[in-house]
mmCIF file of all heavy atoms in Angstrom:
data_model
loop_
_atom_site.group_PDB
_atom_site.id
_atom_site.type_symbol
_atom_site.label_atom_id
_atom_site.label_comp_id
_atom_site.label_asym_id
_atom_site.label_seq_id
_atom_site.Cartn_x
_atom_site.Cartn_y
_atom_site.Cartn_z
ATOM 1 N N GLU M 452 -70.928 15.852 29.453
ATOM 2 C CA GLU M 452 -69.976 14.954 28.773
ATOM 3 C C GLU M 452 -69.344 14.012 29.856
ATOM 4 O O GLU M 452 -68.988 12.880 29.561
ATOM 5 C CB GLU M 452 -68.915 15.720 28.116
ATOM 6 C CG GLU M 452 -67.903 14.821 27.349
ATOM 7 C CD GLU M 452 -66.957 15.737 26.568
ATOM 8 O OE1 GLU M 452 -67.296 16.078 25.480
ATOM 9 O OE2 GLU M 452 -65.834 15.990 27.081
ATOM 10 N N PHE M 455 -70.674 10.543 30.033
ATOM 11 C CA PHE M 455 -70.266 9.670 28.947
ATOM 12 C C PHE M 455 -68.815 9.211 29.055
ATOM 13 O O PHE M 455 -68.425 8.103 28.728
ATOM 14 C CB PHE M 455 -70.474 10.390 27.637
ATOM 15 C CG PHE M 455 -71.907 10.680 27.283
ATOM 16 C CD1 PHE M 455 -72.573 11.703 27.818
ATOM 17 C CD2 PHE M 455 -72.654 9.868 26.378
ATOM 18 C CE1 PHE M 455 -73.890 11.969 27.558
ATOM 19 C CE2 PHE M 455 -73.966 10.163 26.087
ATOM 20 C CZ PHE M 455 -74.543 11.209 26.641
ATOM 21 N N ALA M 456 -67.991 10.140 29.518
ATOM 22 C CA ALA M 456 -66.500 9.932 29.633
ATOM 23 C C ALA M 456 -66.260 8.759 30.590
ATOM 24 O O ALA M 456 -65.134 8.142 30.534
ATOM 25 C CB ALA M 456 -65.783 11.150 30.004
ATOM 26 N N HIS M 458 -67.373 5.969 30.651
ATOM 27 C CA HIS M 458 -67.390 4.736 29.850
ATOM 28 C C HIS M 458 -66.458 4.620 28.675
ATOM 29 O O HIS M 458 -66.380 3.582 27.965
ATOM 30 C CB HIS M 458 -68.829 4.440 29.389
ATOM 31 C CG HIS M 458 -69.845 4.461 30.476
ATOM 32 N ND1 HIS M 458 -69.997 3.395 31.412
ATOM 33 C CD2 HIS M 458 -70.703 5.412 30.957
ATOM 34 C CE1 HIS M 458 -70.856 3.718 32.254
ATOM 35 N NE2 HIS M 458 -71.365 4.940 32.014
ATOM 36 N N GLY M 459 -65.712 5.733 28.388
ATOM 37 C CA GLY M 459 -64.811 5.720 27.294
ATOM 38 C C GLY M 459 -64.827 7.058 26.555
ATOM 39 O O GLY M 459 -65.085 8.129 27.122
ATOM 40 N N ASP M 460 -64.513 7.001 25.217
ATOM 41 C CA ASP M 460 -64.600 8.238 24.472
ATOM 42 C C ASP M 460 -66.042 8.697 24.366
ATOM 43 O O ASP M 460 -66.825 8.019 23.867
ATOM 44 C CB ASP M 460 -64.069 7.874 22.997
ATOM 45 C CG ASP M 460 -64.187 9.088 21.996
ATOM 46 O OD1 ASP M 460 -64.525 10.135 22.542
ATOM 47 O OD2 ASP M 460 -63.909 8.893 20.831
ATOM 48 N N PRO M 461 -66.320 9.895 24.842
ATOM 49 C CA PRO M 461 -67.700 10.362 24.900
ATOM 50 C C PRO M 461 -68.386 10.327 23.522
ATOM 51 O O PRO M 461 -69.635 10.060 23.451
ATOM 52 C CB PRO M 461 -67.607 11.791 25.422
ATOM 53 C CG PRO M 461 -66.249 11.792 26.286
ATOM 54 C CD PRO M 461 -65.391 10.865 25.522
ATOM 55 N N ALA M 462 -67.646 10.548 22.438
ATOM 56 C CA ALA M 462 -68.219 10.607 21.120
ATOM 57 C C ALA M 462 -68.680 9.127 20.706
ATOM 58 O O ALA M 462 -69.549 9.043 19.784
ATOM 59 C CB ALA M 462 -67.198 11.149 20.101
ATOM 60 N N SER M 463 -68.116 8.128 21.325
ATOM 61 C CA SER M 463 -68.489 6.792 20.931
ATOM 62 C C SER M 463 -69.472 6.119 21.835
ATOM 63 O O SER M 463 -69.929 4.924 21.619
ATOM 64 C CB SER M 463 -67.205 5.904 20.852
ATOM 65 O OG SER M 463 -66.658 5.725 22.104
ATOM 66 N N VAL M 464 -69.835 6.787 22.931
ATOM 67 C CA VAL M 464 -70.791 6.216 23.992
ATOM 68 C C VAL M 464 -72.176 6.598 23.531
ATOM 69 O O VAL M 464 -72.563 7.847 23.584
ATOM 70 C CB VAL M 464 -70.433 6.647 25.325
ATOM 71 C CG1 VAL M 464 -71.515 6.132 26.405
ATOM 72 C CG2 VAL M 464 -69.020 6.229 25.756
ATOM 73 N N ASP M 465 -73.038 5.681 23.219
ATOM 74 C CA ASP M 465 -74.434 5.990 22.765
ATOM 75 C C ASP M 465 -75.256 6.630 23.909
ATOM 76 O O ASP M 465 -75.825 7.684 23.721
ATOM 77 C CB ASP M 465 -75.095 4.693 22.338
ATOM 78 C CG ASP M 465 -76.513 4.898 21.852
ATOM 79 O OD1 ASP M 465 -76.794 5.764 21.080
ATOM 80 O OD2 ASP M 465 -77.404 4.217 22.406
ATOM 81 N N TRP M 466 -75.283 5.974 25.080
ATOM 82 C CA TRP M 466 -75.933 6.572 26.264
ATOM 83 C C TRP M 466 -75.194 5.993 27.458
ATOM 84 O O TRP M 466 -74.933 4.813 27.526
ATOM 85 C CB TRP M 466 -77.364 6.260 26.312
ATOM 86 C CG TRP M 466 -78.147 7.093 27.349
ATOM 87 C CD1 TRP M 466 -78.628 6.657 28.480
ATOM 88 C CD2 TRP M 466 -78.473 8.420 27.191
ATOM 89 N NE1 TRP M 466 -79.218 7.736 29.145
ATOM 90 C CE2 TRP M 466 -79.186 8.773 28.373
ATOM 91 C CE3 TRP M 466 -78.220 9.484 26.247
ATOM 92 C CZ2 TRP M 466 -79.614 10.108 28.607
ATOM 93 C CZ3 TRP M 466 -78.671 10.691 26.439
ATOM 94 C CH2 TRP M 466 -79.325 11.082 27.650
#
Side-chain angles (χ1 to χ4, degrees):
E452 186 176 275
F455 294 80
H458 304 283
D460 176 7
S463 65
V464 177
D465 178 54
W466 193 255

